[in-house]
Amino acid sequence: RPREVPEPLLVEPARVYYAPTYTQAIRHIEELYQADGFLGVRVGPERVERLASGEIAIVVPVVEGPQTRLHSVSVTGNTILGSRELVSASGLERGAPFGYLGLEDARIKMQALYRELGYLYARVEPEPRFSADRTRVEVTFRIVERYPVRVSGVVFRGLVRTNESLARSRLQLDEGDLYRPSLARRSEELLLELGVFSGATISVEDED
């Protein structure tokens, strides 16, 4: 039957100028530059130039600015894990282009090491310090380790027709064990392998 809404506009950038397409492209170009260390890059806005042929050319100006590279990485506040192990896990390399997405990824990787040792509430806070010309950055990761978390009990919710002892036999975590995310994920896989559950999720009760 006839459409109730207009067909979506399909734009071929080489033939049709559609401003929202360039807005998205400019945002993506900025993200690519920033990931490569050009933190102050300015891209766009695009401008339309008419050619003698009657066609138009789209010009997107780019001002790159200085490229920031990682000069050094240090870790403070850590006692459970060594600084070298943490820096190695972060994936950061001296001399490489610096970006905030890479910095956040490094923080998550460091925190994952602590969580796997049972330190679920460990905090990893990066502090970048830039040189005056923004070409170099020194990053310090401040660690607050807090305490290890152990399993005090296991509670099942949603079991209706399955015997709890069968489900409990698949768990890789028991009372008194350190809570390790990898063992929780493996327990979920083993529960699903029973073939009687549509889903299984293991998490800390009231983590806050």
Side-chain angles (χ1 to χ4, degrees):
R1 59 180 187 156
R3 295 179 62 93
E4 296 179 356
V5 296
E7 290 188 24
L9 179 63
L10 300 179
V11 177
E12 184 182 344
R15 297 183 64 247
V16 179
Y17 172 63
Y18 183 56
T21 300
Y22 284 86
T23 300
Q24 296 174 8
I26 286 172
R27 188 180 304 117
H28 184 53
I29 292 171
E30 286 180 340
E31 291 171 352
L32 291 174
Y33 265 107
Q34 290 167 357
D36 202 34
F38 294 91
L39 304 181
V41 66
R42 298 197 305 275
V43 182
E46 81 279 7
R47 67 177 184 270
V48 179
E49 294 185 355
R50 297 192 177 277
L51 306 178
S53 62
E55 297 180 325
I56 63 173
I58 309 301
V59 179
V60 180
V62 176
V63 180
E64 293 180 339
Q67 185 183 35
T68 306
R69 292 187 174 272
L70 186 61
H71 180 66
S72 65
V73 181
S74 59
V75 181
T76 64
N78 54 308
T79 58
I80 305 301
L81 291 170
S83 297
R84 180 174 297 182
E85 182 180 2
L86 287 166
V87 172
S88 177
S90 74
L92 297 176
E93 297 181 2
R94 179 172 178 169
F98 171 82
Y100 285 106
L101 288 179
L103 185 65
E104 175 63 10
D105 184 57
R107 184 194 70 80
I108 291 173
K109 288 177 178 177
M110 285 185 176
Q111 194 159 294
L113 282 184
Y114 275 103
R115 290 178 66 88
E116 188 56 29
L117 293 178
Y119 288 80
L120 297 185
Y121 299 99
R123 290 205 322 269
V124 180
E125 299 175 349
E127 294 182 1
R129 295 188 302 277
F130 296 92
S131 62
D133 59 3
R134 305 285 288 187
T135 59
R136 298 190 307 172
V137 62
E138 299 175 350
V139 176
T140 300
F141 287 93
R142 303 196 180 278
I143 311 292
V144 180
E145 294 177 334
R146 296 188 173 179
Y147 46 82
V149 175
R150 295 187 179 273
V151 179
S152 62
V154 179
V155 178
F156 287 90
R157 293 195 176 95
L159 290 181
V160 179
R161 294 183 296 272
T162 305
N163 189 284
E164 182 177 311
S165 61
L166 174 62
R168 192 175 291 273
S169 69
R170 312 296 281 184
L171 297 182
Q172 302 297 293
L173 291 166
D174 203 354
E175 293 185 15
D177 293 344
L178 288 170
Y179 183 86
R180 301 177 187 268
S182 64
L183 295 180
R185 289 192 297 271
R186 181 54 183 158
S187 298
E188 291 172 352
E189 293 170 358
L190 292 174
L191 285 168
L192 292 175
E193 287 177 2
L194 289 172
V196 297
F197 302 124
S198 60
T201 302
I202 297 177
S203 60
V204 177
E205 187 172 31
D206 191 15
E207 187 169 350
D208 291 338

